[in-house]
Amino acid sequence: MKIRELGVSGSFEITPTQFGDDRGLFAEWYRFDVLEQAVGTALDLRQANLSVSKRGVLRGIHFADVPPGQAKYVTAVRGAVIDYVVDLRVGSPTFGQWDSVLLDDVDRRAVYLSEGLGHAFLSLADDTVVTYLVSDVYRPDREHGVNALDPEIGLELPIDLDEISLSPKDEEAPSLAEAIRTGILPTWVGTDDDASRATERQDGR
């Protein structure tokens, strides 16, 4: 298993070692101890989610109030997605920036993102199955979004806009500028050398 930090601090790409023969293959796609050593904190697993998406479905950008926030460990067990990590932590050195990883059923990579980071993905194939291991249960009153099509964020989408499908909730999500004005974004409380420390709500709650 190889782990590489992404361009957004607090996020990592995980590439498992696959062992194949004429029967099929085997791979460890999650190891709590290896992840903790690389990331510097344990993933306190509280819930596991699964989504099935058609080609062109764009989910996100989602994030949760911090504390406690919701760290995520995401992989595609069937099909393929472009997975996006967006820094929504006000004051972060990489605020407003994003990085992406191709998750598919060939290389079987995963992405880990710490609390306070925004998450989105674009499905590249019909019947794509994505799984998420998360550090907190779903709390609808503490979940938020930023519009994934906001030009200020500028996600690079390898599918034409007329092929992209969003949920009504994601379509109505605020722009990054609106999210800043309303004070819903997390605040960076770490340093350049302390990339994965917990964050707190911008409004202090």
Side-chain angles (χ1 to χ4, degrees):
M1 181 177 288
K2 297 179 180 178
I3 300 182
R4 175 180 70 90
E5 187 164 17
L6 297 174
V8 173
S9 61
S11 63
F12 298 80
E13 173 195 87
I14 300 94
T15 304
T17 301
Q18 301 187 62
F19 302 93
D21 57 27
D22 56 359
R23 301 169 300 160
L25 65 84
F26 174 86
E28 291 181 347
W29 67 275
Y30 171 73
R31 275 280 301 269
F32 82 97
D33 54 343
V34 176
L35 182 69
E36 181 177 357
Q37 183 178 10
V39 172
T41 186
L43 174 61
D44 184 12
L45 180 59
R46 299 297 180 91
Q47 183 172 312
N49 303 326
L50 180 148
S51 67
V52 182
S53 302
K54 297 179 179 178
R55 172 181 163 83
V57 168
L58 178 58
R59 300 183 186 269
I61 304 167
H62 300 147
F63 67 99
D65 284 346
V66 181
Q70 193 181 66
K72 299 177 180 178
Y73 191 95
V74 186
T75 192
V77 296
R78 183 171 69 195
V81 302
I82 299 293
D83 195 88
Y84 301 93
V85 179
V86 185
D87 195 345
L88 300 177
R89 303 165 300 185
V90 175
S92 165
T94 53
F95 177 73
Q97 298 179 29
W98 58 272
D99 204 346
S100 65
V101 176
L102 173 65
L103 305 181
D104 60 22
D105 54 13
V106 178
D107 294 318
R108 305 183 191 279
R109 293 187 181 93
V111 167
Y112 169 83
L113 56 153
S114 61
E115 297 87 347
L117 293 176
H119 179 250
F121 71 77
L122 174 64
S123 175
L124 303 179
D126 288 337
D127 297 321
T128 289
V129 178
V130 172
T131 63
Y132 325 62
L133 306 179
V134 296
S135 65
D136 195 20
V137 299
Y138 175 66
R139 304 180 190 273
D141 59 324
R142 301 180 65 82
E143 294 284 331
H144 304 283
V146 172
N147 197 299
L149 299 181
D150 181 0
E152 183 177 355
I153 297 174
L155 296 183
E156 295 179 4
L157 305 171
I159 292 180
D160 292 339
L161 283 178
D162 59 3
E163 296 183 68
I164 289 177
S165 173
L166 293 88
S167 71
K169 181 179 178 180
D170 287 346
E171 279 188 342
E172 296 167 4
S175 67
L176 183 62
E178 291 168 339
I180 294 171
R181 284 197 299 270
T182 56
I184 63 172
L185 297 179
T187 297
W188 169 260
V189 296
T191 68
D192 290 347
D193 297 322
D194 189 15
S196 60
R197 296 185 67 180
T199 56
E200 61 187 23
R201 286 250 346 231
Q202 182 182 353
D203 59 9
R205 286 185 288 170

